[in-house]
Amino acid sequence: MAQEFRLPDLGEGLTEAELVSWSVEVGQSVELNQVIAEVETAKALVELPSPYAGVVEELLIPAGATVPVGTPLIRIATDSASDTPPTRTPVLVGYGPEAAAQSRRARPRAAATPEDTAPPEPVRPDASPAARLAARERGIDLTVVPGTGPSGAVTRHDVEEYAGSAAPRVAAGPSERETRTPVRGVRKQTAAAMVRSAFTAPHVTEFVTVDVTRSVELLERLRGRREFEGLSVTPLSIAAKAMIVALREHPDLNASWDEEHQEIVTKHYVDLGIAVATPRGLVVPHVREAQSLSLLELCRAITELTAIARSGKADPAQFTGGTISLTNVGVFGVDTGTPIINPGESAIVCLGSVSQRPWVHEGELAVRWVTTLSVSFDHRVVDGEQGSKFLSSVAAMLHDPVALLAQL
Amino acid sequence: MVDKIAYPVQLLQPDGRRVLRPEYTNLVRDIGPDELRALYEDLVVTRRIDVEATALQRQGELGLWAPMLGQEAAQVGSARALRPDDYAFVSYREHAVAYCRGVDPAEMTRMWRGTAHSGWDPHAVKVTNPAIVVGSQGLHATGYAMGAHLDGAEIATIAYFGDGATSQGDIAEALGFSMSFNAPVVFFCQNNQWAISEPVHLQSPVPIAQRAAGYGMPAVRVDGNDVLAVLAVTRQATQRAREGSGPTFIEAITYRMGPHTTSDDPTRYRSSAETAEWKARDPIDRMHRLLDWEGLLDGAFLTRVRTTADEIAARLRSGAVGAPTPPPLSVFDHVYASEHPLLEEERAEYAAYLAAVTDTEEALS
Ligand SMILES: Cc1ncc(C[n+]2csc(CCOP(=O)(O)OP(=O)(O)O)c2C)c(N)n1
């Protein structure tokens, strides 16, 4: 005999759910509790286990449809009459035995037309339920809406804004008050690389503000030493060294995403990219095998590389194939930034300006050298935990270079 | 039991090898091959109970369920340390404790289905019905223990609660009272790392067990995914209680591998890396490896365990799906032991409302 399974209330008073995908097909046999579909409610994405053993006779709604609680989802021909549960409608607990009354109450909704509904998205942006509804009603993909809510969550207002701004505008004509510059060379490459990275690697950026007075003092002393003469010995040098050391414990950030093979490639060497502003635009030459360099060698390599890059004579190979990068917006007097990862890498650290600020030091207000570090990482490869641990480890070494020394 | 805060007691490593800690190993000296196998069966069966009930909720047969996936060893190990006269005061997640105390699987889901105020007779099995009000059971356990103490009964009570519950006044009061009155109670905190979406470090910057020190209460931390270690420390604590030495605080470090309840989506607040890390410490895998090392696994045994689990799951399912729906007015029946005028008034009002609804539905149809 055939049994219908109706959409249950999956969580304390929900009235509808979206059937994201079916995991079974017509004609397939299913066991009791075998997962038959994935369903998304306002609260959670959950798997539906089959309440019957038997053969799937019909899928009664298409994937992508949003349906009210109580809607029949699937018909299953059960093996024998003996293993069938009582023939009544499955009780939707919390609503009493009247499942029909429930479906009568549910609002009929436009979104129930399955063709309109977008296919399931792998990434689920943070958004309020109201925003999700608004986006669904307008057919807007939530992942492209900039969020202004808590932790960047998309609000209903954001969706409305976005819907408004997406309306076609009258294009402004050319005028003498504007200059048109053809996009080529470094600008063109930068643009392409940034677009590729920003829209393939889901970026997460984290920040930490840290007292680096001891590093500043250390730099003073290093600069006074003979062997460092003529080299650029700056907070960037120590930050670079600290990154390289931190990567030993947190190698996940020194990796790349191989889309084709669906693999994460973790590098056991560090080719450190240093973002350099040049007259022709931004270039990112790399210090090869940076993991094997002493602080002195690292300072020398960075000094040489930036000089070559600025001169415009850098070997193109030095622009590609790094494993992680460092950018220093602090040189422009800026506190921090949210850098975009170099394509092919998984993380980039950004060093803000190192400046004297009021700071609580040993329980008292004091004037200290303070900087803000940030790191952007590719969330396909790195999770918040590793990213955060890496960043705090770099910060700890800048705060107390003895911690760095201990690991050399 | 002085300073065991820093190093959780462990007798079984994740790879299934034993750890020698004589003071604790001695407490489980009597656990031979048969007992080890029985513990393994408990772990497998209780996981199966949990999985079956979760499926029933997804099938619309239960209103809600609080999965305990991952916490089997903490619950089985502690419940198996109890004697028949001891009394367990539980939260909403202690399905394995209920099972070990002898609750019939057919009765386990009644409250979650809303067909009964309480699923089983607490006094028959000496385990309370699920307490939804977080932390309340700590006070109930303390009160019962104080009574037992006054009666001179040589029993222990055990209060089960989570890491989040330690932020509740009820637990703080229970800790204070139990020390003042030397109550024979064991505070068993399953630190499963999360209170819904709040990570444990928001509850306390120091290990949860350290809170006991402020009350002058001895405390111990234990690897909650190690059924032998949990059994050992709970035996020690319940023994202290029974012989009149007062309360003990146990922090069992474990992990809630599933959602908080079937209404929750944990992927929104915790990383898959974290879940994977704890998967490697799975309490059942660990016990399986131990049995394997010690040559106690064979096909017949594994088949028997599977069959038992299947039977219990089927019993749980039929108990839930077949449960009669109580008449709506019965909701007033067990509020007070005797008649109460206010309740009578409410009952009459509700009866009138139900009659009106029925009339309307008939008129409409
Ligand atoms: C007094 C009270 N406050 C809040 C709630 C809502 N609530 C239900 S469970 C829970 C979290 C409890 O976390 P924890 O004590 O760690 O136990 P766990 O759920 O992890 O087993 C909360 C806040 C409640 N049921 N009771």
Side-chain angles (χ1 to χ4, degrees):
Chain A
M1 76 181 284
Q3 293 285 354
E4 270 179 13
F5 176 38
R6 292 161 183 261
L7 177 68
D9 168 14
L10 292 162
E12 299 176 273
L14 297 173
T15 55
E16 62 175 19
E18 177 185 338
L19 193 129
V20 176
S21 64
W22 283 110
S23 349
V24 292
E25 316 172 334
V26 172
Q28 186 179 334
S29 51
V30 291
E31 289 171 21
L32 178 67
N33 293 344
Q34 181 179 334
V35 173
I36 50 175
E38 206 175 31
V39 166
E40 180 166 23
T41 69
K43 286 190 173 183
L45 190 67
V46 298
E47 292 178 329
L48 281 191
S50 172
Y52 310 109
V55 175
V56 179
E57 249 182 31
E58 194 178 351
L59 304 180
L60 301 166
I61 66 158
T66 298
V67 295
V69 164
T71 307
L73 302 177
I74 187 171
R75 200 164 52 236
I76 296 175
T78 51
D79 300 342
S80 69
S82 64
D83 68 351
T84 55
T87 48
R88 63 186 173 70
T89 319
V91 172
L92 303 165
V93 184
Y95 294 99
E98 272 300 293
Q102 169 58 21
S103 49
R104 215 168 41 217
R105 259 195 291 140
R107 299 156 288 153
R109 294 204 9 179
T113 53
E115 305 87 311
D116 295 352
T117 327
E121 297 148 12
V123 194
R124 203 188 138 87
D126 270 352
S128 67
R132 285 187 201 287
L133 182 65
R136 217 184 302 158
E137 281 171 355
R138 291 169 171 77
I140 290 173
D141 175 5
L142 264 183
T143 51
V144 303
V145 181
T148 62
S151 349
V154 179
T155 64
R156 205 238 292 276
H157 180 74
D158 295 335
V159 174
E160 280 161 4
E161 280 267 302
Y162 183 85
S165 70
R169 290 212 187 102
V170 183
S175 94
E176 275 101 17
R177 291 161 65 201
E178 296 168 353
T179 315
R180 302 203 134 244
T181 311
V183 178
R184 33 173 122 87
V186 172
R187 179 84 268 140
K188 187 166 183 167
Q189 278 178 28
T190 305
M194 291 302 109
V195 167
R196 184 148 41 95
S197 173
F199 293 104
T200 51
H203 280 58
V204 176
T205 307
E206 297 190 324
F207 308 91
V208 63
T209 300
V210 57
D211 171 355
V212 294
T213 309
R214 289 192 197 134
S215 283
V216 171
E217 288 163 356
L218 174 71
L219 287 168
E220 267 323 305
R221 300 185 58 183
L222 288 176
R223 279 187 204 118
R225 291 187 66 90
R226 251 270 190 70
E227 51 289 35
F228 285 89
E229 230 181 83
L231 298 184
S232 102
V233 184
T234 66
L236 178 109
S237 329
I238 302 218
K241 190 72 199 172
M243 273 172 77
I244 295 164
V245 169
L247 286 176
R248 288 192 216 146
E249 258 209 80
H250 309 285
D252 315 46
L253 287 100
N254 195 41
S256 60
W257 175 268
D258 184 342
E259 179 68 31
E260 191 192 335
H261 299 99
Q262 287 297 299
E263 285 173 337
I264 288 169
V265 187
T266 308
K267 317 285 169 67
H268 305 300
Y269 58 96
V270 182
D271 281 354
L272 180 67
I274 309 275
V276 181
T278 74
R280 299 173 307 133
L282 176 78
V283 296
V284 189
H286 291 91
V287 180
R288 299 285 172 206
E289 304 291 334
Q291 80 285 358
S292 61
L293 301 183
S294 69
L295 185 60
L296 175 62
E297 292 166 325
L298 191 61
C299 287
R300 195 175 291 140
I302 294 174
T303 311
E304 283 169 13
L305 214 57
T306 41
I308 297 175
R310 293 216 171 96
S311 71
K313 279 189 239 147
D315 171 0
Q318 279 171 324
F319 293 115
T320 51
T323 62
I324 189 166
S325 294
L326 172 60
T327 176
N328 183 6
V329 298
V331 291
F332 306 112
V334 167
D335 284 345
T336 186
T338 58
I340 293 178
I341 302 162
N342 261 326
E345 304 176 10
S346 289
I348 179 167
V349 172
C350 173
L351 180 65
S353 69
V354 177
S355 58
Q356 288 193 307
R357 298 183 212 173
W359 193 257
V360 177
H361 175 66
E362 296 181 354
E364 308 241 10
L365 197 56
V367 177
R368 305 286 292 176
W369 290 96
V370 174
T371 192
T372 300
L373 290 169
S374 69
V375 62
S376 293
F377 54 84
D378 182 344
H379 211 331
R380 293 174 303 180
V381 179
V382 177
D383 282 322
E385 183 183 359
Q386 296 96 304
S388 310
K389 284 183 176 162
F390 169 75
L391 182 62
S392 42
S393 156
V394 172
M397 288 187 258
L398 283 174
H399 175 64
D400 185 3
V402 172
L404 174 60
L405 184 68
Q407 299 206 44
L408 288 182
Chain B
M1 288 215 268
V2 262
D3 186 20
K4 301 285 159 41
I5 300 293
Y7 301 101
V9 179
Q10 192 185 59
L11 298 182
L12 210 55
Q13 297 174 24
D15 65 3
R17 291 182 199 247
R18 289 184 188 258
V19 179
L20 191 68
R21 281 197 61 178
E23 74 270 41
Y24 292 103
T25 313
N26 281 342
L27 290 163
V28 289
R29 244 187 341 222
D30 57 316
I31 304 295
D34 290 345
E35 290 78 13
L36 286 177
R37 284 188 172 136
L39 285 170
Y40 175 78
E41 178 181 307
D42 282 345
L43 296 174
V44 172
V45 166
T46 52
R47 177 165 294 181
R48 184 59 196 277
I49 286 174
D50 193 56
V51 168
E52 192 70 21
T54 305
L56 281 167
Q57 194 281 337
R58 301 285 187 233
Q59 291 159 357
E61 300 291 350
L62 301 181
L64 186 73
W65 182 256
M68 56 134 201
L69 191 72
Q71 300 180 213
E72 294 86 355
Q75 296 190 15
V76 167
S78 54
R80 287 300 182 202
L82 304 180
R83 296 197 185 151
D85 278 350
D86 294 341
Y87 213 124
F89 291 76
V90 294
S91 86
Y92 39 78
R93 209 183 292 287
E94 277 72 59
H95 317 302
V97 174
Y99 169 76
C100 291
R101 295 299 282 166
V103 171
D104 184 341
E107 295 180 329
M108 256 177 216
T109 56
R110 288 193 183 164
M111 193 196 83
W112 304 97
R113 190 177 165 88
T115 53
H117 283 306
S118 60
W120 58 83
D121 176 0
H123 299 308
V125 285
K126 299 239 171 358
V127 52
T128 55
N129 291 126
I132 302 294
V133 180
V134 169
S136 58
Q137 70 279 20
L139 286 169
H140 306 156
T142 302
Y144 189 92
M146 284 164 62
H149 191 53
L150 293 174
D151 286 349
E154 288 181 15
I155 62 137
T157 67
I158 182 166
Y160 286 91
F161 52 91
D163 42 296
T166 60
S167 298
Q168 282 288 120
D170 285 12
I171 294 297
E173 289 162 24
L175 294 173
F177 259 82
S178 64
M179 276 311 281
S180 298
F181 293 92
N182 204 39
V185 51
V186 176
F187 292 96
F188 193 90
C189 176
Q190 288 174 81
N191 174 0
N192 64 8
Q193 313 301 322
W194 292 92
I196 313 185
S197 54
E198 299 291 318
V200 63
H201 60 78
L202 286 185
Q203 310 290 346
S204 172
V206 298
I208 297 273
Q210 209 161 307
R211 293 189 157 182
Y215 298 89
M217 190 182 297
V220 59
R221 297 183 98 202
V222 63
D223 181 337
N225 287 3
D226 171 351
V227 71
L228 284 183
V230 175
L231 180 67
V233 302
T234 316
R235 278 181 168 183
Q236 187 177 46
T238 47
Q239 195 46 38
R240 286 189 74 242
R242 288 185 208 108
E243 54 188 46
S245 305
T248 308
F249 192 102
I250 297 175
E251 178 189 354
I253 300 156
T254 180
Y255 193 69
R256 190 195 80 215
M257 299 205 308
H260 171 72
T261 67
T262 46
S263 294
D264 172 50
D265 182 354
T267 62
R268 295 199 188 180
Y269 53 81
R270 63 188 193 186
S271 71
S272 54
E274 176 183 306
T275 322
E277 199 175 312
W278 282 91
K279 181 91 189 63
R281 300 178 204 155
D282 186 290
I284 301 187
D285 291 349
R286 187 179 305 202
M287 198 61 180
H288 191 98
R289 289 180 189 128
L290 172 80
L291 293 184
D292 204 12
W293 282 118
E294 306 199 346
L296 301 175
L297 280 186
D298 58 69
F301 166 68
L302 289 174
T303 312
R304 203 182 70 219
V305 170
R306 201 172 321 118
T307 316
T308 309
D310 283 349
E311 281 165 13
I312 288 172
R315 188 165 168 73
L316 179 114
R317 172 169 287 269
S318 63
V321 177
T325 306
L329 288 176
S330 67
V331 74
F332 297 99
D333 287 351
H334 304 289
V335 182
Y336 293 110
S338 53
E339 293 292 295
H340 188 286
L342 179 61
L343 210 61
E344 279 316 303
E345 198 183 313
E346 288 178 352
R347 188 202 306 266
E349 262 176 34
Y350 191 48
Y353 166 77
L354 287 175
V357 171
T358 318
D359 289 351
T360 318
E361 287 194 341
E362 272 166 15
L364 285 173
S365 60

